[in-house]
Amino acid sequence: MDRKAEGVHATNAEFLRYDQVGKTQRYHLAESAEEAFDDECQIRTCDLGRWLAGSPEDRRAFARELGEALEGIGFAILEGHGVPVSLYDEAAEKVLELFASTTLEERMRHRARRHGSVNQGYFPIKETSDIHPDLVEGWVFCRRAFDLGEKPDYREAEFWPRPGFEPVFRRLAHAHEALILPVMQALLTHLGCDPGLYDRRLTGTNFGLRLNYYPPLTATDDLSGAARLLGHEDVDLFTFLPAPEVEGLQVLNRANMKWVRLRAPRGTIVLNTGDYMQRISNDVFPSTTHRVAKPREATLRGLSRVSFPLAVYVWEDEMLEVLPGLGAPRYPPIKAVHFHTRTTSKFYGDDYAVTE
Ligand SMILES: [Fe+2]
């Protein structure tokens, strides 16, 4: 048995050496029989419109609500964000089209490789990570994959298998990019920091838009015990995930170590904090474990599922340093590329880590 096949039975305890923030939670990478579910926990919905267009009092209230939700379970649902649901519908169709209209050979020409911190490009089914056979195909597009007028030598064909996809996903990335500063400013407000402290670092910052295609489950894969996406924590500052249509997202509630099935209303955005944020917030905002499980109903397992989360990063040369006023720092400053690649070498192999 190789490491990946064993991943169906593995727990995160085997991979703790890769983590660059403290994680006390223990869990199986895939679903396992002895797990318990939390049907009581409600992930809080926060109205981002109160920050975007509200009074100073509205802003304070939003910062408090969002901050408390993230401090608690590390996940919140955003409404009032202003991104039209029609853009999400269009993006969902384009994800399906991207995977259906290209051959595996075409996609393999764009096989993921490290660009700075991020493993950018195409991930075949069962090859999202080296440690678990994830039942998903994925494609990660970073800032450099988009024609944002920032690079005179930009070539669409370098990143995209066919014309016609980049403009749609560029609109999606743009729409979410506009939410990065408001969310960061609200979180910094909650922490008692200068709300503009990350404005420079997050203006024109790097991100990873990941397009996920979960094909209908075959009988063999259904019986294999593998998850659609293994339990993991995001490495980033935070992630914007437009509410997926098909069930599957589960979040680990550290308060009782039960899994919460997260269903967000159509048109909302699921927001969660990642490792960068846990590090700079001195563990105030946790990087919460989540995964994508198979639908409970057997008939739904014959449906495909798509999702398109956008992960927010700082550029690789920036330093990640504990924010001021949060007590004695539990972590020394670290360069983002070191932090990011040492953490994600858990998934991509030890030689992925940048150490110099
Ligand atoms: Fe994730």
Side-chain angles (χ1 to χ4, degrees):
M1 286 273 266
D2 61 14
R3 179 160 89 141
K4 186 180 294 190
E6 286 168 17
V8 170
H9 308 288
T11 71
N12 72 317
E14 296 168 39
F15 304 101
L16 291 177
R17 66 185 179 280
Y18 295 103
D19 288 324
Q20 305 293 312
V21 289
K23 290 179 189 167
T24 53
Q25 64 270 40
R26 296 289 174 268
Y27 56 89
H28 282 90
L29 303 184
E31 288 164 88
S32 83
E34 64 262 36
E35 288 170 342
F37 285 86
D38 182 344
D39 298 323
E40 307 295 313
C41 176
Q42 291 286 331
I43 304 294
R44 192 184 291 191
T45 298
C46 303
D47 180 2
L48 182 56
R50 296 178 83 185
W51 182 275
L52 297 175
S55 64
E57 197 179 314
D58 287 331
R59 285 187 158 211
R60 275 195 298 275
F62 172 77
R64 188 172 58 246
E65 281 174 25
L66 182 66
E68 285 174 1
L70 294 175
E71 268 192 43
I73 197 158
F75 271 74
I77 295 170
L78 294 178
E79 59 179 14
H81 49 72
V83 184
V85 71
S86 57
L87 182 54
Y88 294 154
D89 291 342
E90 194 181 354
E93 274 179 35
K94 276 286 172 191
V95 174
L96 285 173
E97 189 186 325
L98 178 71
F99 288 95
S101 68
T102 51
T103 63
L104 180 62
E105 193 188 350
E106 282 178 286
R107 299 198 289 282
M108 289 299 273
R109 274 185 224 132
H110 297 270
R111 189 95 198 250
R113 62 186 178 86
R114 188 175 68 77
H115 286 77
S117 298
V118 184
N119 209 1
Q120 171 175 287
Y122 172 66
F123 295 84
I125 191 156
K126 300 181 187 173
E127 294 188 31
T128 285
S129 76
D130 289 354
I131 64 171
H132 175 271
D134 304 271
L135 302 174
V136 64
E137 279 185 77
W139 207 320
V140 173
F141 297 93
C142 296
R143 187 178 195 87
R144 63 177 66 77
F146 294 92
D147 187 9
L148 297 165
E150 294 166 349
K151 293 227 162 77
D153 57 347
Y154 174 81
R155 282 193 319 112
E156 185 180 351
E158 192 182 329
F159 305 101
W160 301 85
R162 309 237 169 120
F165 291 104
E166 188 275 339
V168 175
F169 292 114
R170 188 197 325 146
R171 275 193 281 129
L172 181 72
H174 256 316
H176 287 162
E177 201 185 6
L179 307 179
I180 294 175
L181 286 189
V183 166
M184 190 66 187
Q185 290 167 353
L187 296 183
L188 289 167
T189 300
H190 178 71
L191 294 174
C193 299
D194 167 7
L197 201 57
Y198 263 66
D199 284 7
R200 177 198 62 77
R201 273 173 278 216
L202 293 183
T203 301
T205 195
N206 201 15
F207 56 78
L209 174 63
R210 186 181 166 101
L211 310 182
N212 288 313
Y213 171 66
Y214 300 87
L217 287 154
T218 64
T220 313
D221 285 342
D222 199 2
L223 290 171
S224 72
R228 276 189 147 170
L229 190 63
L230 83 173
H232 68 281
E233 300 83 41
D234 292 348
V235 70
D236 58 6
L237 273 173
F238 46 82
T239 305
F240 294 128
L241 169 70
E245 199 184 320
V246 177
E247 77 163 10
L249 180 61
Q250 298 179 352
V251 172
L252 185 63
N253 184 356
R254 281 160 303 124
N256 54 20
M257 290 307 287
K258 294 180 181 178
W259 292 90
V260 179
R261 293 187 179 93
L262 199 167
R263 289 310 302 270
R266 176 175 148 78
T268 60
I269 297 173
V270 178
L271 172 72
N272 67 285
T273 37
D275 289 0
Y276 285 22
M277 182 62 80
Q278 182 175 334
R279 179 96 174 193
I280 67 169
S281 72
N282 218 17
D283 293 339
V284 172
F285 292 129
S287 182
T288 292
T289 308
H290 52 286
R291 68 185 180 195
V292 180
K294 297 180 284 195
R296 281 164 285 176
E297 259 187 64
T299 52
L300 296 180
R301 297 181 183 181
L303 297 179
S304 59
R305 180 182 192 273
V306 297
S307 68
F308 33 93
L310 182 128
V312 178
Y313 305 122
V314 295
W315 285 108
E316 45 264 25
D317 289 336
E318 297 286 349
M319 295 300 288
L320 295 168
E321 203 167 339
V322 172
L323 294 162
L326 299 179
R330 295 179 184 177
Y331 308 106
I334 186 170
K335 205 172 175 183
V337 68
H338 295 155
F339 180 84
H340 190 131
T341 60
R342 285 173 196 172
T343 303
T344 53
S345 61
K346 167 182 174 179
F347 305 118
Y348 307 136
D350 288 351
D351 60 355
Y352 189 82
V354 175
T355 50
E356 81 282 4

